[in-house]
Amino acid sequence: MKKLINEAANYVDEVLAGMALAHPEHYKIDGPTGRILRRPDAVDGKVGVVSGGGFGHIPVFAGYVGDGLLDACAVGDVFASPDMNPMLGSIEFANTGKGVLCVVGNYGGDRMNFDMACEMAEMDDIETAKVIVSDDVAAAGPDEAEKRRGVAGFVLVTKVAGAAAAAGHSLQEVAALAQSAADNVRSVGVALSSCTVPQAGRPTFEIADDEMEIGMGIHGEPGVRRGKLRPVDAIIDEMMDMLLADKPVSKGDRVALLVNGLGATPVEELYLVFRRAKARLDEAGAELALHMIGNYATSMEMAGASLSILHLDDQLEKLMKAPANCPFWKV
Amino acid sequence: MKKLINEAANYVDEVLAGMALAHPEHYKIDGPTGRILRRPDAVDGKVGVVSGGGFGHIPVFAGYVGDGLLDACAVGDVFASPDMNPMLGSIEFANTGKGVLCVVGNYGGDRMNFDMACEMAEMDDIETAKVIVSDDVAAAGPDEAEKRRGVAGFVLVTKVAGAAAAAGHSLQEVAALAQSAADNVRSVGVALSSCTVPQAGRPTFEIADDEMEIGMGIHGEPGVRRGKLRPVDAIIDEMMDMLLADKPVSKGDRVALLVNGLGATPVEELYLVFRRAKARLDEAGAELALHMIGNYATSMEMAGASLSILHLDDQLEKLMKAPANCPFWKV
């Protein structure tokens, strides 16, 4: 294991400490176990937006605490759901009387624990709603779309939810807009190398020096095809084919494109990914209303990239372009 | 070689194409060989600021074309200096009558070609000045500081130069302020893995699975010590010792700190680096006026990090905090 870390057991807490130390104007560590990252102060008069999930994907999830994004986030161990308590604590913090939306990746533990946290919050008269992000088209077919994992599409759904809340919408409206984003986002990834969970100490999976895996999940979940590494244009064509088969674009459709590095991919390569993905969207006649290129949803030292397409309507486009500010993303 | 690329021979041009396609409001490709990246339009009434160097370090060099930063940049092949022509073209573009400052990393080819380009420009009555960045304390001792490589300190010197130019200073003043930044910045890096030059097709150097190299350059130049990988706090202590021995801080001194990922290091680890570096500055009584954490000066898929400290006076601090805008950095 080759990481710039101290004791594996302290990894998550030390990284959170570093984030809070670096960005005190954005992040404050809270909760009896220190596993809530939240804004310094709750914002009165708006719906709260929270999330939570396993660690090792920064900026997902906790990095997106910020203006026009999340109010608070529960933080688990590496690739492990937080328990219910920091989720409930996040909800309690974010609630200023207008209720709280939970944006949740489609993983069993995260869903179950947020279900419990929301039930507990409701008993304290905090109104809650949930939106599940399940954008990975490689994880299941369209007939079983509810089984799909949540990957980088989370970033776009969070942006929409945070902007809708900041705009003063009610909980029902914020939830409906975030749900619309979740319904209209599709992602797929390609991995070239494995991540390593610090406490495991060895790569999560093996992959040969000349191989790639299309559709791999951000914890190393199996993809749809392992094969020889091909030129980036061919890889992106295969990924764009999957995305556009699952949800086609028509001439004039407006989309947001997220070209996401999984953690260890040189930024130069992300621009090659973007170049081909844009050419495919141009070819299909889609209008690129917005694009983001960088490490937005990572898997520690996994090399590879993912593509996410959010199919926009006027409302989603406006929310995607609304102001937002966190250390990992400014609009 | 495991990269998301097409033909190695087209790598640089395709990445530049992707960058210009993604950010047309910031970047335009120019020059007969397409190896100038420049702003869409020159800015009248200010000193021009340009740079140039080998490719494979994005955002260094060309990524820093933007408001309050560079006006144009010459782009070489991977780890190879551009020839004189795109340097001269960059100078000609950036000149709007007040002269042009060239910010140059301390590499033989870059220096020689910029010398020629400046001579040619002077023959066309364009006034030029040069600042050489040689910030890597691992590359030579203080008695031979002029032999030190230019590494991530380039980013800070470029910021100062760009801000000074935007503030309306004369060429002599911009050059003096950039020189002050160059004189007051120190860097050191640690590498955990090698980069791979696409046209070479194999890692530039070998390093064992349990080894690190302190002081390695951003092209894989030998460092000062290769040894067993240690906990990040111990590594950062060793690096901070080197930086503070070379240029000490006293209680109350104000500094800017750049925690830089070399390309393949998870962002989580950069926050561990920051955490320890800040603790050491706190211990020394220095005031952290400004800090940046991210991939600012990379070496493709090299894993590792560098630390740069810019020792500030009031003028440098003001220039570091002045507005700047490029796709890789906003102030």
Side-chain angles (χ1 to χ4, degrees):
Chain A
M1 176 169 61
K2 211 158 195 183
K3 290 177 182 277
L4 290 171
I5 63 173
N6 294 306
E7 287 296 321
N10 302 332
Y11 173 70
V12 175
D13 294 310
E14 289 183 356
V15 175
L16 289 176
M19 290 171 65
L21 206 57
H23 311 293
E25 70 285 17
H26 288 286
Y27 303 142
K28 197 172 156 67
I29 293 171
D30 199 0
T33 58
R35 288 302 180 87
I36 296 171
L37 201 69
R38 64 164 173 84
R39 306 162 65 110
D41 299 293
V43 182
D44 278 336
K46 79 165 190 76
V47 167
V49 182
V50 306
S51 187
F55 198 74
H57 309 295
I58 293 293
V60 163
F61 301 86
Y64 293 112
V65 168
D67 294 335
L69 294 161
L70 299 176
D71 295 294
C73 188
V75 179
D77 284 326
V78 174
F79 294 0
S81 178
D83 67 36
M84 189 207 67
N85 294 302
M87 292 177 178
L88 179 58
S90 294
I91 292 169
E92 287 169 344
F93 167 77
N95 178 55
T96 56
K98 296 195 71 178
V100 177
L101 176 71
C102 307
V103 184
V104 183
N106 194 20
Y107 297 96
D110 293 341
R111 290 189 63 159
M112 187 181 72
N113 292 332
F114 261 115
D115 282 347
M116 286 196 291
C118 287
E119 274 178 41
M120 296 290 285
E122 298 276 350
M123 289 198 286
D124 286 336
D125 290 325
I126 300 175
E127 206 185 350
T128 64
K130 275 191 301 286
V131 168
I132 308 297
V133 183
S134 53
D135 53 318
D136 189 345
V137 301
D143 48 326
E144 297 185 304
E146 74 288 351
K147 291 189 183 168
R148 289 176 172 174
R149 298 180 288 259
V151 287
F154 171 86
V155 180
L156 305 172
V157 177
T158 296
K159 175 69 182 76
V160 166
H169 289 289
S170 70
L171 178 60
Q172 286 66 32
E173 290 164 342
V174 173
L177 287 161
Q179 186 63 55
S180 166
D183 291 342
N184 284 290
V185 68
R186 300 289 184 281
S187 301
V188 66
V190 59
L192 304 194
S193 74
S194 179
C195 50
T196 295
V197 176
Q199 291 197 279
R202 55 181 176 282
T204 301
F205 60 90
E206 297 295 330
I207 183 163
D209 274 351
D210 60 350
E211 282 185 333
M212 63 174 179
E213 186 154 333
I214 303 259
M216 177 161 280
I218 55 172
H219 311 91
E221 299 94 334
V224 291
R225 187 175 83 74
R226 183 174 287 208
K228 295 286 177 202
L229 185 62
R230 300 174 66 202
V232 63
D233 284 359
I235 298 169
I236 299 309
D237 279 345
E238 185 172 345
M239 291 164 67
M240 287 295 291
D241 286 346
M242 292 171 70
L243 292 175
L244 298 179
D246 200 84
K247 188 167 173 70
V249 290
S250 305
K251 195 165 156 50
D253 283 0
R254 293 179 71 79
V255 300
L257 173 68
L258 168 57
V259 172
N260 175 53
L262 294 178
T265 292
V267 66
E268 288 89 348
E269 298 179 21
L270 298 182
Y271 280 93
L272 297 178
V273 170
F274 171 78
R275 176 176 167 270
R276 186 62 181 181
K278 181 176 188 313
R280 289 295 306 270
L281 289 170
D282 288 349
E283 214 173 90
E287 307 267 345
L288 199 52
L290 179 86
H291 55 273
M292 300 153 63
I293 302 165
N295 293 335
Y296 287 90
T298 63
S299 186
M300 296 182 291
E301 62 278 88
M302 189 183 284
S306 68
L307 291 173
S308 299
I309 295 176
L310 174 59
H311 300 254
L312 299 168
D313 57 21
D314 289 348
Q315 258 184 320
L316 290 178
E317 182 168 345
K318 192 175 154 195
L319 293 167
M320 279 302 303
K321 292 180 172 175
N325 185 10
C326 78
F328 298 96
W329 189 16
K330 280 182 197 181
V331 182
Chain B
M1 175 169 62
K2 211 159 194 183
K3 289 176 183 275
L4 291 171
I5 64 172
N6 294 307
E7 287 295 321
N10 302 330
Y11 172 70
V12 175
D13 295 309
E14 289 183 356
V15 175
L16 289 176
M19 290 170 66
L21 205 58
H23 311 292
E25 71 284 17
H26 289 285
Y27 302 142
K28 196 171 157 65
I29 294 171
D30 199 358
T33 58
R35 288 302 180 85
I36 297 171
L37 202 69
R38 63 165 172 85
R39 306 163 64 110
D41 300 292
V43 182
D44 278 337
K46 78 166 191 75
V47 168
V49 182
V50 305
S51 186
F55 198 75
H57 308 295
I58 294 293
V60 163
F61 301 86
Y64 293 113
V65 168
D67 294 335
L69 295 160
L70 299 176
D71 295 294
C73 188
V75 180
D77 283 327
V78 174
F79 295 0
S81 177
D83 67 36
M84 188 209 68
N85 294 301
M87 292 176 177
L88 179 57
S90 294
I91 292 168
E92 288 169 343
F93 167 78
N95 179 54
T96 57
K98 297 195 70 179
V100 177
L101 176 71
C102 306
V103 184
V104 183
N106 193 20
Y107 296 96
D110 294 341
R111 290 189 63 158
M112 187 182 73
N113 292 331
F114 261 115
D115 281 347
M116 286 196 290
C118 288
E119 275 178 41
M120 297 290 285
E122 300 276 349
M123 288 197 288
D124 286 337
D125 291 325
I126 301 175
E127 206 185 351
T128 64
K130 274 190 303 287
V131 169
I132 308 298
V133 183
S134 54
D135 53 318
D136 190 344
V137 302
D143 49 328
E144 297 185 302
E146 74 289 351
K147 291 190 184 170
R148 289 176 172 175
R149 298 180 287 260
V151 287
F154 171 86
V155 179
L156 305 171
V157 177
T158 295
K159 174 69 182 77
V160 167
H169 289 290
S170 70
L171 178 59
Q172 285 67 31
E173 291 164 342
V174 173
L177 287 161
Q179 186 64 53
S180 167
D183 291 342
N184 284 290
V185 67
R186 300 290 185 280
S187 301
V188 66
V190 59
L192 303 193
S193 74
S194 179
C195 49
T196 295
V197 176
Q199 291 197 281
R202 55 180 178 281
T204 302
F205 59 91
E206 298 295 330
I207 182 164
D209 273 352
D210 60 349
E211 282 185 334
M212 64 174 179
E213 186 153 333
I214 302 259
M216 176 160 283
I218 56 172
H219 310 93
E221 297 94 335
V224 290
R225 187 173 83 75
R226 183 174 286 209
K228 296 285 179 204
L229 185 63
R230 299 174 67 202
V232 63
D233 284 359
I235 298 169
I236 299 309
D237 279 344
E238 185 171 344
M239 291 164 66
M240 288 295 291
D241 286 345
M242 291 171 71
L243 291 175
L244 297 179
D246 200 84
K247 188 167 173 69
V249 291
S250 303
K251 194 166 156 50
D253 282 359
R254 294 178 69 78
V255 300
L257 173 68
L258 168 57
V259 173
N260 175 53
L262 294 178
T265 292
V267 65
E268 287 89 349
E269 297 177 21
L270 298 182
Y271 280 94
L272 298 178
V273 170
F274 171 78
R275 176 176 167 270
R276 186 62 181 181
K278 181 178 187 314
R280 288 296 305 273
L281 289 171
D282 288 350
E283 213 173 90
E287 305 267 345
L288 199 51
L290 179 85
H291 56 273
M292 300 152 64
I293 303 164
N295 293 335
Y296 287 91
T298 64
S299 186
M300 296 182 292
E301 61 276 89
M302 190 184 283
S306 69
L307 291 174
S308 299
I309 295 176
L310 174 59
H311 300 253
L312 298 168
D313 57 21
D314 289 348
Q315 257 184 321
L316 290 178
E317 181 168 345
K318 191 175 156 197
L319 293 167
M320 280 302 303
K321 292 180 171 175
N325 185 11
C326 78
F328 299 96
W329 190 15
K330 281 181 196 181
V331 181

